Amino acid sequence: MKNTGDRRRTIYDVAKAAGVSISTASNALNDTGRTNAETRERVRRVAEEIGFRPNALARGLLSKRSHAIGMLTNDTYGRLTLPMAAGVSEVLVDHGVSVFLCATNNDPRLAQLHLEALLDRQVDGIIFTATRLDLTPPVQLSRLPIPVVYVFAEGPADSVTFFPDDEQGARLAVDHLKELGRSRILHITGPRDYLAARIRAQSYLDACGDGAEAMFGDWSEEWGHEAVQTVFARPGAKPDAIFCGSDEIARGVIDALRDLNVEIPTDVAVVGFDNWEVVARQTRPPLTTIDMELKELGHRAGLAILSLSKGEPVPAGITRLPCRLVVRQSCGSPLRSD
C-alpha cells in the first residue's frame, strides 16, 4: 500500500475515519445541512485528529466568501498603518479571515493595480487608511461591489469611517498641563492644511482662551526647534508649558529648550501627540504624550468590515474613538505655589 503519511488530508479521509458519508462530513465541517450535534462533533474531532485543513477555495465557494480582506494605505513607512493593521488582524484571525496589506505610495496607478489584484482575489471587503484624516483615496472605492471601511481617512458621507478623537485628545493634553499648575501654554503643531492639526489647535484655543497661541509649521523636529528659538528670542513672558501636535515636534522642542538651558519639566513642561514609542520613550526626559489608540481603531474597522462582509448592517458616518494620555517625565509634578 502506498505511504500517504505526508500527503494532505482530504474530506474523503475525514468521512472514512468518522464513518460517515462525504456529504455528511462536509455539512458537519461547514455547519450546513441537518447534521445532528453528536455527528457534527465527532466529524470535527476526527478532522482535528488526522490533521485535516479545509481547502480555502472550496470553503469560499460554499460560503460565497473568500475569507480575506484588503487594506489599502498611502502610509509607505507604516508608522500609522501597522498598528491599525495589527488591530484588524487580531479581530479577524479568530474568524479565519486573512488580511492583504497594500501600500499605494500616493501613486494612483499603483493604487489601481493593487485594487485590481485584490478584486481578482475576490476579497470580502477593503479597509482604506491614510496618513491624514482629510486624504481621499487615490482610486474610486465608493462603487465597488464589496464593502469598504475607512479608518484615519476621509470616506463618502454614507460610508463607515473611524477617526481618532483629536479634539478630545488635545483637551486631555491641555487639562493635564493645567492640573499641573501650568498657565502659559503654547501650542506648536503641523501644517495648517492638515485637518488633524486644525482640530487639535482649535481644541487647544478653546481650552486656553485669550492669549493662547497656536504656531503652525511642519511635522518635524526641525520645526519644533525653530519655533522654540523664535518664541524665546522675542520679548515678553515665556511659556511654562508647550503642547506639541506630534512627538517629532516635541522632540525638537525639547532639544531647543535644552540648548537654551531651560530645564524640563521644572521651567517648561512638554506634551506630545501620537505616542510614537520609538521617539517618546527615547526622548530625554521621556515624553508625556497622547496615544491615538491606533490598534483600537483597527479593531473597530476589522469588526465593521467583518459584519458588512456577512451582510450585517453597520451604522454609517464618522465614529470618533477617544485618545489616551500617557504620562512620562516631560511634565513632572504639579508646580508649587510660593
Side-chain angles (χ1 to χ4, degrees), residues 218-268:
D218 299 321
W219 300 116
S220 67
E221 292 184 32
E222 291 79 10
W223 163 238
H225 199 283
E226 177 189 335
V228 166
Q229 289 180 319
T230 299
V231 169
F232 277 77
R234 66 194 185 190
K238 301 300 183 281
D240 60 10
I242 301 177
F243 164 42
C244 302
S246 76
D247 291 348
E248 286 182 274
I249 292 173
R251 189 162 185 164
V253 163
I254 287 175
D255 285 347
L257 292 172
R258 187 178 294 109
D259 291 345
L260 294 168
N261 295 316
V262 175
E263 291 191 24
I264 308 156
T266 306
D267 299 327
V268 178

Side-chain angles (χ1 to χ4, degrees), residues 307-308 311-315:
S307 294
L308 289 170
E312 299 169 358
V314 175

Side-chain angles (χ1 to χ4, degrees), residues 73-88:
T73 179
N74 77 322
D75 186 5
T76 304
Y77 300 104
R79 184 168 70 85
L80 299 174
T81 297
L82 289 180
M84 286 188 276
V88 171

